[in-house]
């Protein structure tokens, strides 16, 4: 099971790193893989370099889950991974007032199927099926986020990441790198 979260260090939701890390530590042995995807798409709330982002996450939140290189998750330049995720499930569940809250601050929110804001979450099952998409304010320890209702963890049990199939094999997280998305899972499995 993979939980992908687009993250940012200067967002009002940045404190979610703590919950995401706790979830990762509690469920990684059951097969959960968390991948943080730093993105600067929303009010430039992730301005740092990849090294600065990693240092921030480790220093402030003791993050041990893998982080991708800074990646665009919305708009014309969005990464193919996020194009695939948003086309698989076009709208996020939960916390509808978030859109109105942002609008109240004069912030234009992306229309579906685009990612709405930082800390939107996608839950991907073994085999690459995107099974859930959660709005930014959905907390990391929400039972649906960890897959309780979907029975995803019971099917895994081993922590084996080889069953992620076509979703990860052809995707490179950093467009300027040849590092395949799947290599993140290889490191985790070792």
């Amino acid at each position: 099971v993979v939980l992908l979260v687009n993250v940012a260090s200067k967002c009002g939701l940045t404190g979610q790193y703590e919950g995401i890390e706790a979830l990762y530590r509690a469920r990684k042995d059951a097969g959960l893989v968390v991948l943080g995807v730093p993105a600067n798409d929303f009010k430039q709330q992730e301005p740092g370099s990849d090294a600065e982002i990693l240092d921030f996450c480790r220093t402030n939140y003791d993050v041990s889950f893998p982080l991708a290189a800074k990646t665009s998750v919305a708009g014309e330049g969005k990464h193919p991974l996020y194009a695939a995720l948003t086309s698989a499930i076009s709208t996020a569940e939960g916390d509808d007032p978030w859109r109105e809250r942002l609008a109240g601050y004069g912030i234009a929110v992306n229309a579906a199927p685009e990612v709405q804001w930082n800390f939107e979450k996608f839950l991907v099952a073994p085999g690459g099926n995107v099974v859930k998409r959660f709005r930014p304010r959905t907390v990391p320890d929400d039972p649906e986020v960890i897959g309780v209702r979907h029975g995803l963890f019971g099917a895994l049990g081993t922590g084996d990441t080889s069953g992620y199939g076509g979703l990860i094999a052809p995707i490179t997280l950093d467009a300027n790198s040849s590092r395949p998305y799947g290599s993140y899972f290889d490191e985790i499995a070792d």
Side-chain angles (χ1 to χ4, degrees), residues 8-98:
S9 61
K10 300 198 180 298
C11 174
L13 301 175
T14 300
Q16 284 193 26
Y17 270 120
E18 186 176 327
I20 295 166
E21 178 62 22
L23 174 62
Y24 174 66
R25 289 181 186 206
R27 303 297 295 197
K28 68 181 180 179
D29 290 340
L32 176 67
V33 176
V34 171
L35 181 61
V37 183
N40 198 34
D41 294 313
F42 308 102
K43 302 291 277 181
Q44 291 72 49
Q45 293 182 342
E46 189 55 89
S49 68
D50 292 340
E52 290 168 331
I53 294 165
L54 182 61
D55 182 60
F56 172 85
C57 291
R58 288 187 174 162
T59 300
N60 294 290
Y61 295 99
D62 197 25
V63 165
S64 62
F65 59 83
L67 292 167
K70 189 161 40 173
T71 302
S72 180
V73 301
E76 290 183 27
K78 78 177 151 197
H79 192 278
L81 170 62
Y82 271 82
L85 291 168
T86 57
S87 70
I89 298 181
S90 62
T91 58
E93 294 184 17
D95 206 358
D96 281 336
W98 182 246

Side-chain angles (χ1 to χ4, degrees), residues 4 26 30-31 41 48 79 92 112 115 118 121 130 156 158 173-174:
L4 290 113
D41 294 313
H79 192 278
V115 169
N118 301 308
K121 300 153 192 78
V130 182
L156 278 178
T158 65
L173 285 173
D174 179 356

